[in-house]
Amino acid sequence: MIIYKIREPFPHLVIKNFYNQDELKLIWQELNFLTSPNKLLPANLNGSSEANHLSIVLDYIYSNRSISNILTINRKAFSKEILDAFVELNPLLAHIHLINTDLTKIKYYENYNGYKKHQDLARFTALTYFYKEPKAFEGGDLYFNDFDYTIKLKNNMFVLFVGALWHESFPVSLKQNGHITGNGKYTMTQFLNIDENIR
């Protein structure tokens, strides 16, 4: 795991090789299962006109988080090392230590799927990217509109930023024909929030 604390053009973390090989094996077991027919649904079914990818909200299908490999392993995003690194970027981000609720969505992109300019309602957004290697597509980079700033897509890369920032996911162009092949881009999105009723 290599942590990059980036202050310009805005404070954010980029972590390469976020999950170790054992963790990745478990994550891919679940991603492969979710790529089966009728599990990933069009994202625009939830009313978002900006999205044309496939997605599923894991917290809605697992009443017990421990059943899901992903929902168990992605607790890593809340480790002290990562939260402290984020706060080091700017003391105004210190309330990330108060995060007490999150929602995890798996998104899948292929065949020119993308996600147009949008903001997240969450206080903070954490994105982790996965794809099978060798990479079978082009595109899929993360773009922050107000800063004309692009983060190049890397496998097993984690990005943490303030959810209110305008951002988009560039479309993916798969090098083969097909639908839900599993050779596109997977994004694990964690929406991090503070529920005042829990404190």
Side-chain angles (χ1 to χ4, degrees):
M1 186 168 67
I2 308 169
I3 301 176
Y4 296 91
K5 292 177 271 190
I6 304 170
R7 291 179 170 81
E8 299 295 338
F10 57 88
H12 61 289
L13 285 185
V14 174
I15 305 178
K16 294 183 180 177
N17 302 318
F18 186 63
Y19 292 106
N20 64 40
Q21 290 304 308
D22 291 336
E23 292 165 337
L24 283 173
K25 182 178 179 181
L26 291 170
I27 288 169
W28 273 108
Q29 284 177 358
E30 191 162 352
L31 290 179
N32 288 330
F33 167 74
L34 294 172
T35 310
S36 304
N38 304 316
K39 292 183 174 57
L40 296 169
L41 301 174
N44 56 16
L45 290 180
N46 65 15
S48 174
S49 60
E50 294 82 20
N52 71 347
H53 55 273
L54 301 172
S55 70
I56 190 167
V57 179
L58 294 186
D59 300 84
Y60 294 170
I61 60 171
Y62 293 107
S63 59
N64 182 343
R65 174 180 290 274
S66 65
I67 295 172
S68 165
N69 291 347
I70 291 173
L71 291 180
T72 303
I73 294 168
N74 74 2
R75 302 300 85 198
K76 189 172 189 172
F78 300 100
S79 71
K80 187 176 186 307
E81 178 183 16
I82 291 167
L83 298 184
D84 286 349
F86 192 58
V87 173
E88 284 175 23
L89 292 168
N90 189 314
L92 293 175
L93 301 173
H95 61 295
I96 196 166
H97 284 289
L98 300 177
I99 293 297
N100 58 10
T101 182
D102 67 297
L103 187 79
T104 299
K105 184 181 282 190
I106 298 297
K107 302 174 185 178
Y108 178 68
Y109 301 80
E110 67 178 21
N111 297 328
Y112 306 103
N113 295 153
Y115 202 154
K116 295 179 183 177
K117 178 181 176 182
H118 66 284
Q119 293 171 295
D120 296 330
L121 296 177
R123 301 249 184 153
F124 303 101
T125 299
L127 305 176
T128 313
Y129 299 107
F130 307 99
Y131 53 81
K132 294 175 182 174
E133 300 198 54
K135 188 168 74 166
F137 62 89
E138 296 177 355
D141 295 335
L142 176 63
Y143 180 69
F144 290 88
N145 307 79
D146 290 337
F147 303 95
D148 189 25
Y149 176 70
T150 301
I151 297 177
K152 291 288 188 183
L153 177 68
K154 298 287 183 191
N155 196 13
N156 193 21
M157 180 176 71
F158 173 93
V159 182
L160 178 61
F161 57 94
V162 174
L165 294 173
W166 288 98
H167 58 287
E168 66 180 279
S169 178
F170 288 149
V172 164
S173 174
L174 203 61
K175 297 174 183 175
Q176 67 183 86
N177 293 325
H179 180 60
I180 316 183
T181 64
N183 293 318
K185 178 184 83 169
Y186 293 86
T187 303
M188 180 199 304
T189 302
Q190 291 172 264
F191 298 112
L192 315 182
N193 279 302
I194 301 169
D195 185 342
E196 298 290 341
N197 296 318
I198 297 176
R199 295 178 63 196

